[in-house]
Amino acid sequence: MNTVLERLRTESGESPRYGELLAADPDALAASLTSAGLPLWARELAAYRLGLAGDRRAFEPLVLLLNHRDPPRCAAAAEALAALGDPRTARAAAALATNTLRTAYALQPVRLLTALRAPESAPVLIATLSRLLSPHEPYWRVALACVEGLGALADPRAGEVLARAQSHPRLAVAATAALRRLRTPR
């Protein structure tokens, strides 16, 4: 949390608005999310704080941030969404993880699905990893997150795709470890 707040403080340029949002109550934070002309750092700060507080008014802004091109924003949104506990989160993360046009930004949605352990988590990770196993796929980090996530979930349905992932140099070690987890009784 401190690194997120520090990043946002820096982005704010020491704006007085930063301190106001840091001290604001939930209603003021929610109101700021709909006010016109608010810079991105301020919207992120309001949504992040609301999400960590479990206030569902943060859901939509956090999902938008989860799909942002800036990795630190995506990571902060994933952290807040995990804390939020909104039942819509897994479906939203699944939609982002499986969007073939946004694969470059799917790393945090994949990690969020793993953390959520929702019913859709393993099927989405399996489908996403299957798609990313082509020989010259540039999104190997997303594929690696899928492999690691499937290992953490230890869902037996992942066996076939993890076995295929073993033939990819960047995924082989993690895929082998994930397969071991599938075979280890809990």
Side-chain angles (χ1 to χ4, degrees):
M1 180 166 119
N2 289 336
T3 54
V4 173
L5 296 179
E6 182 59 29
R7 175 180 55 80
L8 294 173
R9 185 187 61 75
T10 301
E11 282 184 34
S12 77
E14 306 288 334
S15 166
R17 184 77 173 132
Y18 175 84
E20 292 167 13
L21 286 170
L22 203 56
D25 67 21
D27 289 335
L29 291 171
S32 71
L33 289 174
T34 58
S35 65
L38 203 62
L40 182 58
W41 66 262
R43 289 188 192 288
E44 181 181 355
L45 178 56
Y48 181 76
R49 286 200 52 228
L50 284 171
L52 291 182
D55 189 317
R56 291 194 178 167
R57 294 177 286 184
F59 177 75
E60 289 176 8
L62 287 171
V63 169
L64 290 173
L65 290 165
L66 183 63
N67 193 32
H68 198 274
R69 69 182 174 274
D70 184 23
R73 287 197 204 293
C74 297
E79 177 189 348
L81 282 164
L84 183 60
D86 191 299
R88 301 171 290 175
T89 301
R91 278 192 316 276
L96 295 174
T98 57
N99 183 340
T100 58
L101 299 176
R102 303 287 293 171
T103 303
Y105 310 109
L107 183 63
Q108 292 302 327
V110 164
R111 289 180 176 161
L112 179 58
L113 282 166
T114 301
L116 294 173
R117 296 182 167 273
E120 52 267 80
S121 295
V124 166
L125 297 184
I126 290 167
T128 302
L129 179 58
S130 292
R131 181 171 47 84
L132 297 176
L133 289 179
S134 64
H136 301 291
E137 179 59 52
Y139 305 113
W140 66 269
R141 286 181 180 86
V142 176
L144 181 60
C146 289
V147 167
E148 292 168 345
L150 289 168
L153 296 172
D155 189 307
R157 297 174 289 182
E160 184 271 328
V161 73
L162 289 171
R164 287 189 305 143
Q166 286 181 301
S167 67
H168 292 263
R170 290 181 166 160
L171 307 177
V173 172
T176 300
L179 281 168
R180 262 191 239 115
R181 287 179 128 174
L182 294 183
R183 295 180 186 128
T184 304
R186 301 209 168 224

PDB file of all heavy atoms in Angstrom, residues 52-68:
ATOM      1  N   LEU A  52      -9.886  -0.775  -0.929  1.00  0.00           N
ATOM      2  CA  LEU A  52      -9.285  -1.359   0.267  1.00  0.00           C
ATOM      3  C   LEU A  52     -10.248  -1.319   1.448  1.00  0.00           C
ATOM      4  O   LEU A  52     -10.183  -2.179   2.336  1.00  0.00           O
ATOM      5  CB  LEU A  52      -7.988  -0.638   0.630  1.00  0.00           C
ATOM      6  CG  LEU A  52      -6.814  -0.839  -0.331  1.00  0.00           C
ATOM      7  CD1 LEU A  52      -5.594  -0.097   0.189  1.00  0.00           C
ATOM      8  CD2 LEU A  52      -6.500  -2.304  -0.567  1.00  0.00           C
ATOM      9  N   ALA A  53     -11.149  -0.345   1.444  1.00  0.00           N
ATOM     10  CA  ALA A  53     -12.130  -0.223   2.523  1.00  0.00           C
ATOM     11  C   ALA A  53     -13.350  -1.122   2.299  1.00  0.00           C
ATOM     12  O   ALA A  53     -14.247  -1.164   3.140  1.00  0.00           O
ATOM     13  CB  ALA A  53     -12.570   1.231   2.661  1.00  0.00           C
ATOM     14  N   GLY A  54     -13.385  -1.821   1.151  1.00  0.00           N
ATOM     15  CA  GLY A  54     -14.519  -2.704   0.874  1.00  0.00           C
ATOM     16  C   GLY A  54     -15.758  -1.989   0.374  1.00  0.00           C
ATOM     17  O   GLY A  54     -16.853  -2.531   0.421  1.00  0.00           O
ATOM     18  N   ASP A  55     -15.595  -0.785  -0.138  1.00  0.00           N
ATOM     19  CA  ASP A  55     -16.715   0.012  -0.633  1.00  0.00           C
ATOM     20  C   ASP A  55     -16.922  -0.301  -2.120  1.00  0.00           C
ATOM     21  O   ASP A  55     -16.067   0.013  -2.953  1.00  0.00           O
ATOM     22  CB  ASP A  55     -16.409   1.498  -0.433  1.00  0.00           C
ATOM     23  CG  ASP A  55     -17.597   2.387  -0.713  1.00  0.00           C
ATOM     24  OD1 ASP A  55     -18.308   2.153  -1.715  1.00  0.00           O
ATOM     25  OD2 ASP A  55     -17.802   3.332   0.073  1.00  0.00           O
ATOM     26  N   ARG A  56     -18.054  -0.903  -2.429  1.00  0.00           N
ATOM     27  CA  ARG A  56     -18.305  -1.373  -3.805  1.00  0.00           C
ATOM     28  C   ARG A  56     -18.466  -0.266  -4.829  1.00  0.00           C
ATOM     29  O   ARG A  56     -18.489  -0.530  -6.027  1.00  0.00           O
ATOM     30  CB  ARG A  56     -19.515  -2.300  -3.817  1.00  0.00           C
ATOM     31  CG  ARG A  56     -19.187  -3.604  -3.108  1.00  0.00           C
ATOM     32  CD  ARG A  56     -20.204  -4.647  -3.375  1.00  0.00           C
ATOM     33  NE  ARG A  56     -19.799  -5.875  -2.713  1.00  0.00           N
ATOM     34  CZ  ARG A  56     -20.577  -6.894  -2.554  1.00  0.00           C
ATOM     35  NH1 ARG A  56     -21.800  -6.860  -3.014  1.00  0.00           N
ATOM     36  NH2 ARG A  56     -20.133  -7.972  -1.950  1.00  0.00           N
ATOM     37  N   ARG A  57     -18.534   0.960  -4.403  1.00  0.00           N
ATOM     38  CA  ARG A  57     -18.573   2.071  -5.371  1.00  0.00           C
ATOM     39  C   ARG A  57     -17.271   2.176  -6.142  1.00  0.00           C
ATOM     40  O   ARG A  57     -17.207   2.824  -7.182  1.00  0.00           O
ATOM     41  CB  ARG A  57     -18.884   3.389  -4.658  1.00  0.00           C
ATOM     42  CG  ARG A  57     -20.297   3.421  -4.051  1.00  0.00           C
ATOM     43  CD  ARG A  57     -20.568   4.684  -3.292  1.00  0.00           C
ATOM     44  NE  ARG A  57     -19.849   4.665  -2.014  1.00  0.00           N
ATOM     45  CZ  ARG A  57     -19.958   5.606  -1.094  1.00  0.00           C
ATOM     46  NH1 ARG A  57     -20.746   6.655  -1.299  1.00  0.00           N
ATOM     47  NH2 ARG A  57     -19.280   5.521   0.035  1.00  0.00           N
ATOM     48  N   ALA A  58     -16.246   1.497  -5.683  1.00  0.00           N
ATOM     49  CA  ALA A  58     -14.945   1.521  -6.356  1.00  0.00           C
ATOM     50  C   ALA A  58     -14.842   0.493  -7.472  1.00  0.00           C
ATOM     51  O   ALA A  58     -13.890   0.525  -8.247  1.00  0.00           O
ATOM     52  CB  ALA A  58     -13.841   1.254  -5.336  1.00  0.00           C
ATOM     53  N   PHE A  59     -15.798  -0.414  -7.566  1.00  0.00           N
ATOM     54  CA  PHE A  59     -15.657  -1.543  -8.495  1.00  0.00           C
ATOM     55  C   PHE A  59     -15.367  -1.115  -9.937  1.00  0.00           C
ATOM     56  O   PHE A  59     -14.361  -1.524 -10.524  1.00  0.00           O
ATOM     57  CB  PHE A  59     -16.904  -2.441  -8.452  1.00  0.00           C
ATOM     58  CG  PHE A  59     -16.846  -3.564  -9.440  1.00  0.00           C
ATOM     59  CD1 PHE A  59     -16.041  -4.661  -9.217  1.00  0.00           C
ATOM     60  CD2 PHE A  59     -17.576  -3.512 -10.621  1.00  0.00           C
ATOM     61  CE1 PHE A  59     -15.964  -5.697 -10.129  1.00  0.00           C
ATOM     62  CE2 PHE A  59     -17.511  -4.537 -11.550  1.00  0.00           C
ATOM     63  CZ  PHE A  59     -16.709  -5.636 -11.302  1.00  0.00           C
ATOM     64  N   GLU A  60     -16.224  -0.325 -10.536  1.00  0.00           N
ATOM     65  CA  GLU A  60     -16.055   0.030 -11.950  1.00  0.00           C
ATOM     66  C   GLU A  60     -14.764   0.809 -12.215  1.00  0.00           C
ATOM     67  O   GLU A  60     -14.033   0.475 -13.157  1.00  0.00           O
ATOM     68  CB  GLU A  60     -17.289   0.760 -12.472  1.00  0.00           C
ATOM     69  CG  GLU A  60     -18.474  -0.180 -12.593  1.00  0.00           C
ATOM     70  CD  GLU A  60     -19.755   0.505 -13.002  1.00  0.00           C
ATOM     71  OE1 GLU A  60     -19.722   1.700 -13.357  1.00  0.00           O
ATOM     72  OE2 GLU A  60     -20.795  -0.168 -12.964  1.00  0.00           O
ATOM     73  N   PRO A  61     -14.442   1.829 -11.415  1.00  0.00           N
ATOM     74  CA  PRO A  61     -13.163   2.515 -11.655  1.00  0.00           C
ATOM     75  C   PRO A  61     -11.959   1.580 -11.497  1.00  0.00           C
ATOM     76  O   PRO A  61     -10.986   1.674 -12.249  1.00  0.00           O
ATOM     77  CB  PRO A  61     -13.123   3.622 -10.599  1.00  0.00           C
ATOM     78  CG  PRO A  61     -14.537   3.834 -10.192  1.00  0.00           C
ATOM     79  CD  PRO A  61     -15.225   2.517 -10.378  1.00  0.00           C
ATOM     80  N   LEU A  62     -12.035   0.654 -10.557  1.00  0.00           N
ATOM     81  CA  LEU A  62     -10.911  -0.278 -10.377  1.00  0.00           C
ATOM     82  C   LEU A  62     -10.783  -1.239 -11.557  1.00  0.00           C
ATOM     83  O   LEU A  62      -9.672  -1.567 -11.975  1.00  0.00           O
ATOM     84  CB  LEU A  62     -11.061  -1.053  -9.063  1.00  0.00           C
ATOM     85  CG  LEU A  62     -10.795  -0.245  -7.801  1.00  0.00           C
ATOM     86  CD1 LEU A  62     -11.174  -1.050  -6.561  1.00  0.00           C
ATOM     87  CD2 LEU A  62      -9.338   0.211  -7.727  1.00  0.00           C
ATOM     88  N   VAL A  63     -11.891  -1.677 -12.112  1.00  0.00           N
ATOM     89  CA  VAL A  63     -11.828  -2.557 -13.289  1.00  0.00           C
ATOM     90  C   VAL A  63     -11.218  -1.808 -14.471  1.00  0.00           C
ATOM     91  O   VAL A  63     -10.400  -2.360 -15.211  1.00  0.00           O
ATOM     92  CB  VAL A  63     -13.216  -3.141 -13.632  1.00  0.00           C
ATOM     93  CG1 VAL A  63     -13.202  -3.837 -14.994  1.00  0.00           C
ATOM     94  CG2 VAL A  63     -13.654  -4.118 -12.549  1.00  0.00           C
ATOM     95  N   LEU A  64     -11.582  -0.550 -14.620  1.00  0.00           N
ATOM     96  CA  LEU A  64     -10.967   0.248 -15.690  1.00  0.00           C
ATOM     97  C   LEU A  64      -9.460   0.369 -15.478  1.00  0.00           C
ATOM     98  O   LEU A  64      -8.677   0.260 -16.424  1.00  0.00           O
ATOM     99  CB  LEU A  64     -11.603   1.639 -15.769  1.00  0.00           C
ATOM    100  CG  LEU A  64     -13.032   1.686 -16.290  1.00  0.00           C
ATOM    101  CD1 LEU A  64     -13.600   3.085 -16.151  1.00  0.00           C
ATOM    102  CD2 LEU A  64     -13.100   1.208 -17.726  1.00  0.00           C
ATOM    103  N   LEU A  65      -9.039   0.561 -14.241  1.00  0.00           N
ATOM    104  CA  LEU A  65      -7.608   0.663 -13.937  1.00  0.00           C
ATOM    105  C   LEU A  65      -6.897  -0.680 -14.099  1.00  0.00           C
ATOM    106  O   LEU A  65      -5.724  -0.733 -14.466  1.00  0.00           O
ATOM    107  CB  LEU A  65      -7.396   1.213 -12.529  1.00  0.00           C
ATOM    108  CG  LEU A  65      -7.752   2.681 -12.353  1.00  0.00           C
ATOM    109  CD1 LEU A  65      -7.854   3.035 -10.875  1.00  0.00           C
ATOM    110  CD2 LEU A  65      -6.740   3.572 -13.062  1.00  0.00           C
ATOM    111  N   LEU A  66      -7.600  -1.774 -13.849  1.00  0.00           N
ATOM    112  CA  LEU A  66      -7.026  -3.109 -14.037  1.00  0.00           C
ATOM    113  C   LEU A  66      -6.681  -3.347 -15.502  1.00  0.00           C
ATOM    114  O   LEU A  66      -5.777  -4.110 -15.823  1.00  0.00           O
ATOM    115  CB  LEU A  66      -8.016  -4.171 -13.547  1.00  0.00           C
ATOM    116  CG  LEU A  66      -7.563  -5.623 -13.591  1.00  0.00           C
ATOM    117  CD1 LEU A  66      -6.372  -5.855 -12.672  1.00  0.00           C
ATOM    118  CD2 LEU A  66      -8.718  -6.549 -13.229  1.00  0.00           C
ATOM    119  N   ASN A  67      -7.357  -2.664 -16.384  1.00  0.00           N
ATOM    120  CA  ASN A  67      -7.151  -2.795 -17.824  1.00  0.00           C
ATOM    121  C   ASN A  67      -6.273  -1.670 -18.388  1.00  0.00           C
ATOM    122  O   ASN A  67      -6.170  -1.490 -19.580  1.00  0.00           O
ATOM    123  CB  ASN A  67      -8.519  -2.802 -18.520  1.00  0.00           C
ATOM    124  CG  ASN A  67      -8.435  -3.248 -19.948  1.00  0.00           C
ATOM    125  OD1 ASN A  67      -7.610  -4.063 -20.324  1.00  0.00           O
ATOM    126  ND2 ASN A  67      -9.305  -2.702 -20.776  1.00  0.00           N
ATOM    127  N   HIS A  68      -5.621  -0.913 -17.528  1.00  0.00           N
ATOM    128  CA  HIS A  68      -4.793   0.219 -17.951  1.00  0.00           C
ATOM    129  C   HIS A  68      -3.461  -0.278 -18.520  1.00  0.00           C
ATOM    130  O   HIS A  68      -2.982  -1.340 -18.161  1.00  0.00           O
ATOM    131  CB  HIS A  68      -4.546   1.150 -16.756  1.00  0.00           C
ATOM    132  CG  HIS A  68      -4.105   2.508 -17.155  1.00  0.00           C
ATOM    133  ND1 HIS A  68      -2.791   2.814 -17.392  1.00  0.00           N
ATOM    134  CD2 HIS A  68      -4.806   3.641 -17.370  1.00  0.00           C
ATOM    135  CE1 HIS A  68      -2.693   4.090 -17.738  1.00  0.00           C
ATOM    136  NE2 HIS A  68      -3.906   4.615 -17.730  1.00  0.00           N
TER     137      HIS A  68
END
